[in-house]
Amino acid sequence: QIPRILLSGDMVSLDKEAFFRRVSRLYNAWENDNGELFQGADAFVSAVGQDEDVTYAKSTALQAWLFGYELPDTVTVFCKSEIAVLSSKKKNEFLKPVSEVSQDGIPQVKLLLRNKDDKNSENFKQLFAAVRSSGEGKKLGMFLKEKLSSPFLDQWNEALKTESFGEVEVGPGFAYVMAPKDEIELTLIKV
């Protein structure tokens, strides 16, 4: 039971228990934050591109921590009432098990399928609406120092510029939440 990524044939599967345990830790820290860790963010966004020159990014570290796997060209928005993930069909299939289950105190995971025909404009509108309905809907927590790139992320960044969210740095908050290691992580570190 050591690996978080479970292989079955050619399929990789998500460890739902680890996901819900970790997302619960994230939401508990956010809910109990006095503004120091998450700068009063009403929602968070983690956007991962396909930049192979970047060796470390908090966005990819967050994905690995939550999903046990890196999901390039994926935007994840953490809101008070939902976790929205915009990704490809294959990645959505990977994430489907956590979208079909709800747990107390953890928002439902909503999967959005990327749409190249409209350059994801309808999907981006849904993500922005989710941010506006989260808390006061004004402050968007981001990893501001990250400059990840891909054609998809360029579309996301251009769409984000049209919105009037205040952007706040949430890297330290996520680092604080991800720092304590659970039993499985400690075992993997030893290996």
Side-chain angles (χ1 to χ4, degrees), residues 107-167:
Q108 185 72 36
V109 176
K110 177 181 177 183
L111 302 177
L112 300 171
L113 182 61
R114 286 181 42 203
N115 183 350
K116 293 179 184 176
D117 294 339
D118 75 348
K119 295 184 180 179
N120 293 294
S121 69
E122 286 303 313
N123 286 322
F124 294 154
K125 287 177 187 175
Q126 287 185 52
L127 294 176
F128 298 144
V131 171
R132 282 191 290 278
S133 69
S134 183
E136 294 180 18
K138 295 179 182 176
K139 286 187 180 180
L140 183 58
M142 304 175 69
F143 302 116
L144 294 173
K145 295 176 185 172
E146 290 187 356
K147 302 294 181 220
L148 302 175
S149 183
S150 74
F152 170 68
L153 274 194
D154 294 344
Q155 290 173 359
W156 163 255
N157 289 324
E158 284 302 310
L160 187 58
K161 287 178 187 175
T162 67
E163 296 294 318
S164 59
F165 302 120
E167 297 175 355

